[in-house]
Amino acid sequence: MLWTFGALAAGGLVFGALLALNIPYRTTAAPETTAAPPSHPPVAPAEMAAWVTDVRPGPDDRTAVLRVDLPSCALAPHARVTETAERIDADVLFQPPADPACPRTTADFPVKTAAPIGTRPVVVNAGDSWRLLTGGWKKCDKVLGCEPPADHCAQAWIAQLEFSAEAEHPGTKRACDQNWLIHDLSRRGQAANRVAYRWAGGGWTSFASATGGGCGEILAVEPAFPQALCRDLTPPS
């Protein structure tokens, strides 16, 4: 019994000495936690523009109908239109289908403007312009615009033929009336080439070329060409 009390007393003295020394207890650290990454909403697939093949009148003066070519299983197709006092921009957008082999189809999408369309061009596919003229909608030429000049010798018609010929540099108009044209074209690294054109109703069509002056080479192809336009011409240079 005395031995037991002695052991307890000795233990108490040891515990008191430890408290006096102020030795900190080792505690078990809480496990570190990693914050979950922030969640982000799923990103919608990028939209594509459908190819507009025609523009037609709608039921009123504020509506046009876009006929488009797009995949038959296109997702969420819809028309988008913005307008200013000078022009109207219209597109049909869709999300690409999961099946790349999905067959294509045509569909009509009406677009509504806030103000009457009038003579404002409707720009589709971020490039092609259409305008409502007498007789319906017409696709405007990239060079001539929506209202080509009445004068067939005007520079806009010359620029159109140079564009069609993929000329690298502007050429030189040598002679022109409303039905016949002689124009010299030059390409990089090549001598200038003389080309004779006839008016074909919607633009100039080439029918002969020449490397020399005068009318010989042109008349050999088209005897009806007026000699007054070529008689005094020097060779192309």
Side-chain angles (χ1 to χ4, degrees):
M1 187 80 171
L2 292 176
W3 179 87
T4 301
F5 284 130
L8 291 174
L13 291 175
V14 172
F15 182 73
L18 290 174
L19 289 177
L21 291 175
N22 196 27
I23 298 175
Y25 289 100
R26 177 178 294 177
T27 58
T28 303
E32 295 183 359
T33 59
T34 303
S39 60
H40 297 285
V43 179
E47 290 186 317
M48 301 177 63
W51 182 251
V52 179
T53 60
D54 194 16
V55 180
R56 295 179 293 163
D60 53 53
D61 62 356
R62 298 169 187 254
T63 307
V65 179
L66 306 184
R67 170 153 287 190
V68 303
D69 176 273
L70 78 171
S72 58
C73 53
L75 304 177
H78 61 281
R80 177 184 65 184
V81 60
T82 58
E83 63 183 296
T84 66
E86 291 76 30
R87 61 183 274 176
I88 299 163
D89 289 270
D91 299 285
V92 174
L93 304 175
F94 66 93
Q95 295 178 6
D99 181 9
C102 179
R104 303 189 71 82
T105 188
T106 57
D108 291 339
F109 287 82
V111 292
K112 188 82 171 180
T113 58
I117 295 173
T119 59
R120 290 182 295 171
V122 174
V123 182
V124 301
N125 295 335
D128 293 335
S129 295
W130 295 71
R131 179 170 284 179
L132 183 59
L133 303 171
T134 303
W137 283 88
K138 178 183 177 181
K139 187 176 181 179
C140 304
D141 187 88
K142 292 183 179 297
V143 179
L144 293 168
C146 298
E147 298 181 79
D151 180 8
H152 301 163
C153 297
Q155 181 56 38
W157 289 111
I158 306 300
Q160 185 201 45
L161 72 86
E162 291 177 341
F163 178 81
S164 299
E166 299 181 349
E168 297 172 343
H169 308 285
T172 304
K173 180 174 63 178
R174 296 300 186 188
C176 183
D177 64 16
Q178 296 304 294
N179 298 303
W180 306 96
L181 167 69
I182 296 177
H183 188 263
D184 291 351
L185 284 173
S186 59
R187 289 183 170 85
R188 185 179 304 168
Q190 300 178 9
N193 183 40
R194 177 157 295 161
V195 184
Y197 297 84
R198 63 165 58 91
W199 182 255
W204 291 106
T205 300
S206 63
F207 65 87
S209 61
T211 58
C215 298
E217 294 170 276
I218 297 173
L219 293 177
V221 179
E222 178 53 86
F225 192 89
Q227 296 186 37
L229 295 179
C230 55
R231 182 184 301 116
D232 300 326
L233 291 181
T234 58
S237 60

